[in-house]
Amino acid sequence: EIVLTQSPGTLSLSPGESATLSCRASQTVSSSYLAWYQQKPGQAPRLLFYGVSSRATGIPDRFSGSGSGTDFTLTISRLEPEDFAVYYCQQYGTSPTFGQGTKVEIK
Amino acid sequence: EVQLVESGGDLVQPGRSLRLSCTASGFRFGDYGMSWVRQAPGKGLEWVSFIRSKRYGENTEYAASVKGRFTISRDDSKSIGYLQMNSLKTEDTAVYYCTRDPHPYCSNINCPHDSWGQGTLVTVSS
């Protein structure tokens, strides 16, 4: 099983700042089969990216995904109030696993 | 508008069974794969099971934690997906989400999930 470790656990930032979220895999994620999701309290997750950097429908371009192999990054430039949420990475190249999540909270 | 609505969640005793349903609308259900993903109270996400579309063979996959106890299926004529859960354990307690999985995004093994329902709560307790 591929273990995904997300860091930091919590990111405290102000609106307008940039956020950098890390997702590290215990083994190479084959063919860049990595996705990112956003989840707000009481809501279902929402797909942000698949294939590392392919933006899902309706996702604003202040969000970007990058990385390869075992190291992946989700960057949010110019945080908007609606961006404060928990973010999960997921690999789906083998039996799928999720990271434990990074909470982006308002400072 | 794409909609996925889960139902069937309940409070059940350990060892009992439960069947969840996922009713889809707003898209051609039969063209997509479908997964179930769960989230224990206050915890992260855990993929549970996946079924491909008929075009891709309706093959199924299961997480090790549920293999042999859970069965995923689909009825494309009704646009409904199912998760039959047998021999339930307390650790199966979670909100269960059904998801839409677009095959063009997928690996040979599994898929990202581009739409999610609002979830149904399953509580396993004596």
Side-chain angles (χ1 to χ4, degrees), chain B residues 35-54:
Chain B
S35 289
W36 289 92
V37 177
R38 68 186 180 184
Q39 187 168 35
K43 302 296 185 182
L45 302 168
E46 179 188 15
W47 169 79
V48 173
S49 184
F50 166 56
I51 184 167
R52 292 173 178 78
S53 67
K54 182 168 287 186

Side-chain angles (χ1 to χ4, degrees), chain B residues 15-38:
Chain B
R16 304 299 290 263
S17 298
L18 202 61
R19 188 177 81 160
L20 304 183
S21 299
C22 172
T23 302
S25 61
F27 66 101
R28 285 185 60 169
F29 180 71
D31 288 347
Y32 289 82
M34 184 192 79
S35 289
W36 289 92
V37 177
R38 68 186 180 184

Side-chain angles (χ1 to χ4, degrees), chain A residues 38-46 81-87, chain B residues 97:
Chain A
Q38 175 194 67
Q39 187 177 32
K40 298 179 182 179
Q43 296 185 18
R46 176 174 72 146
E82 62 267 27
D83 299 336
F84 292 91
V86 178
Y87 293 84
Chain B
Y97 297 101

Side-chain angles (χ1 to χ4, degrees), chain A residues 72-102:
Chain A
F72 302 91
T73 301
L74 175 70
T75 302
I76 314 170
S77 61
R78 305 179 313 277
L79 280 162
E80 297 285 343
E82 62 267 27
D83 299 336
F84 292 91
V86 178
Y87 293 84
Y88 294 94
C89 57
Q90 178 206 25
Q91 67 78 24
Y92 53 96
T94 63
S95 185
T97 50
F98 288 89
Q100 83 280 16
T102 290

Side-chain angles (χ1 to χ4, degrees), chain A residues 59-77:
Chain A
I59 304 305
D61 60 8
R62 64 178 181 274
F63 289 87
S64 62
S66 63
S68 64
T70 61
D71 289 301
F72 302 91
T73 301
L74 175 70
T75 302
I76 314 170
S77 61

